[in-house]
Amino acid sequence: MIGAIIGDIVGSSHEFNSIKTTKFNLFDNKSRYTDDSAMTMAVAEWLLDDAEHTHKVLEDKMVKYGSLNPGAGYGGMFFGWLFLPEKIFKSGKRQPYNSFGNGSAMRVSAVGWLFDSLEETEKVAEISASITHNHPEGIKGAQATAAAIWLARNGKSKAEIKDCISAKYGYNLDRTCDEIRPNYEFDVTCQGSVPESIIAFLESTDYESTVRLAVSLGGDSDTQACIAGGIAEAFYKDIPQKIVDHAMSLLPNYFKETLKRFYDAANYHPKYIDMEQKGTKSERYTPDFIRSLEPNEIFVFGSNLAGAHGGGAARIAMDKFGAVWGQGVGLQGQSYAIPTMQGGVETIKPYVDEFIEFAKMHPEYKFLVTRIGCGIAGFTDEEIAPLFKEAQSLENVWLPKSFWKI
């Protein structure tokens, strides 16, 4: 699973800025998870929560993960399927639209991990695809990807994987990346990108070389690296720790929670992901500089009772995260105000206690607490940090590093 997600993140910088070389930085300031990872998570949670593998539950999961980050880069038709079904379908309801795009293959990696037989893997892969991509090529792309992962995790050699996928799905896997690369162009179809992704895996020597080869083809790089990366994780069963750590730092907490559940269900506990550390204070430091938020993240800032958000973190909250002039307390947009300018520390505590109770009632949010009261208000970290003692046990509350030390 994380192998597919890392591939998506690595390829994200080059989806519309293709490169034709394996020599590039795996991560840069444009690296992010995209629709590939979001829908991979949706399929994983569907498998975990719906033993009957129904389209109704899968639809709910896809809409849920899509709504958490609508700007993740969804294709036009799929965006309409997710968010505007009443406008694109005569029935007003979501329905398959005969797509053979590679979206069916990029989201399917979880299916390759949970089933005992190849036949069941292929059956569930078809269900996962056909909710939208019910064209034979769309279904085939999902089945081939899931089958390759199933074969890889069950110890099959690359020769066996190649022979099986070629025979069952008719893909030409006899080409090399060097042969494909010079004339290959952006292609979002299953038939024009899934074989190439599998070839990148077959030609690789380890996980990292897999995603580098997939991106170097210069096509739909995030999706191809996602597909290839999912197979590579199952085959090599090892990903460099620094790569995993960097990718995990770019994922929201709800992704990590689903990943933990999924790896537990698959009875696979790779050494490169220490899921037991999720939610510890070492992972819950509020960043020093917050320029953007995930859809479920809340910027917690120090305010005044008048709600005059004129400077410091309060101004950032108003300019970027929906704080409302004149509102000095509580949730507003993607921000939460705690007044700190009305007196001593004892006057701040009731508002901090109110915030902690609010955080307990809203586990769907991730609260990023800034150094409230330690700027214009003139308090020290030593004075403010103890007010948040009870928040230490709340996995959805992140605190400044200076608070944790105290």
Side-chain angles (χ1 to χ4, degrees):
M1 278 278 288
I2 192 64
I5 291 170
I6 293 172
D8 173 42
I9 293 172
V10 171
S12 65
S13 299
H14 307 287
E15 182 179 11
F16 302 111
N17 183 28
S18 67
I19 54 175
K20 296 284 187 174
T21 177
T22 58
K23 296 178 181 179
F24 59 90
N25 293 327
L26 287 180
F27 303 103
D28 58 32
N29 59 8
K30 295 181 181 179
S31 298
R32 65 187 183 104
Y33 78 86
T34 77
D35 56 322
D36 300 49
S37 293
M39 290 301 105
T40 294
M41 290 282 88
V43 170
E45 194 171 280
W46 167 60
L47 296 176
L48 292 169
D49 293 348
D50 182 16
E52 301 299 318
H53 306 135
T54 64
H55 271 178
K56 177 63 177 70
V57 176
L58 178 56
E59 177 182 328
D60 291 344
K61 299 299 184 183
M62 293 167 82
V63 172
K64 169 189 170 181
Y65 276 87
S67 298
L68 289 168
N69 188 359
Y74 298 98
M77 189 64 185
F78 187 71
F79 184 94
W81 185 91
L82 274 179
F83 303 115
L84 303 167
E86 69 282 357
K87 292 186 177 181
I88 66 170
F89 299 115
K90 290 182 179 180
S91 66
K93 298 179 180 180
R94 296 181 186 90
Q95 60 191 56
Y97 49 92
N98 201 38
S99 175
F100 48 79
N102 55 21
S104 62
M106 59 85 160
R107 70 189 184 218
V108 79
S109 60
V111 177
W113 284 95
L114 290 185
F115 302 102
D116 293 333
S117 70
L118 180 56
E119 291 71 24
E120 190 172 9
T121 298
E122 292 171 314
K123 176 183 176 182
V124 178
E126 178 178 1
I127 297 170
S128 77
S130 62
I131 190 171
T132 51
H133 294 53
N134 57 332
H135 187 282
E137 290 291 346
I139 292 171
K140 186 167 77 171
Q143 289 181 318
T145 302
I149 292 172
W150 187 92
L151 293 165
R153 77 174 176 87
N154 281 284
K156 301 301 182 182
S157 68
K158 286 186 178 181
E160 290 173 313
I161 295 171
K162 177 183 176 182
D163 289 346
C164 179
I165 299 301
S166 297
K168 293 196 74 149
Y169 303 106
Y171 288 153
N172 176 11
L173 303 180
D174 290 327
R175 299 164 292 161
T176 68
C177 287
D178 284 345
E179 291 170 341
I180 296 168
R181 191 178 295 112
N183 299 312
Y184 188 68
E185 297 180 352
F186 192 85
D187 192 329
V188 298
T189 68
C190 276
Q191 58 270 38
S193 60
V194 173
E196 288 74 12
S197 303
I198 296 173
I199 289 169
F201 155 70
L202 293 172
E203 195 172 310
S204 67
T205 56
D206 57 16
Y207 177 84
E208 182 174 340
S209 69
T210 301
V211 295
R212 288 186 179 279
L213 284 167
V215 171
S216 78
L217 296 178
D220 188 6
S221 58
D222 60 332
T223 296
Q224 289 181 237
C226 179
I227 294 169
I231 304 169
E233 180 187 14
F235 184 83
Y236 292 113
K237 298 177 175 62
D238 186 47
I239 304 175
Q241 191 66 52
K242 64 180 181 180
I243 295 177
V244 175
D245 289 346
H246 193 108
M248 292 289 280
S249 74
L250 300 175
L251 299 180
N253 232 29
Y254 58 89
F255 272 40
K256 297 176 186 178
E257 292 163 1
T258 301
L259 280 168
K260 181 184 186 316
R261 289 181 61 208
F262 185 82
Y263 278 115
D264 285 345
N267 195 28
Y268 180 60
H269 301 94
K271 66 180 187 300
Y272 44 83
I273 299 186
D274 185 4
M275 287 298 182
E276 296 306 313
Q277 294 302 309
K278 178 187 68 64
T280 62
K281 70 178 185 180
S282 63
E283 283 197 4
R284 291 196 285 125
Y285 292 142
T286 300
D288 291 333
F289 301 99
I290 299 174
R291 297 287 182 261
S292 62
L293 295 174
E294 295 288 344
N296 70 322
E297 291 179 336
I298 306 296
F299 182 82
V300 182
F301 66 98
S303 66
N304 55 68
L305 288 171
H309 308 314
R315 182 59 181 266
I316 294 172
M318 189 175 74
D319 289 347
K320 290 181 172 291
F321 306 131
V324 178
W325 187 272
Q327 181 178 340
V329 184
L331 186 69
Q332 39 199 293
Q334 275 190 267
S335 65
Y336 187 103
I338 298 177
T340 61
M341 302 283 286
Q342 64 280 351
V345 172
E346 72 281 357
T347 71
I348 302 173
K349 186 178 187 304
Y351 295 106
V352 174
D353 291 344
E354 181 180 333
F355 159 71
I356 291 172
E357 289 304 311
F358 185 85
K360 288 179 181 177
M361 292 188 293
H362 292 279
E364 72 274 18
Y365 292 141
K366 169 179 163 182
F367 296 92
L368 303 176
V369 178
T370 62
R371 292 176 63 240
I372 70 158
C374 297
I376 299 171
F379 296 100
T380 65
D381 294 88
E382 287 75 14
E383 291 174 304
I384 299 296
L387 302 180
F388 289 89
K389 183 176 181 179
E390 190 179 347
Q392 293 179 102
S393 62
L394 301 181
E395 292 187 0
N396 64 330
V397 176
W398 292 37
L399 300 173
K401 192 171 185 178
S402 58
F403 284 17
W404 280 114
K405 288 179 178 179
I406 296 162

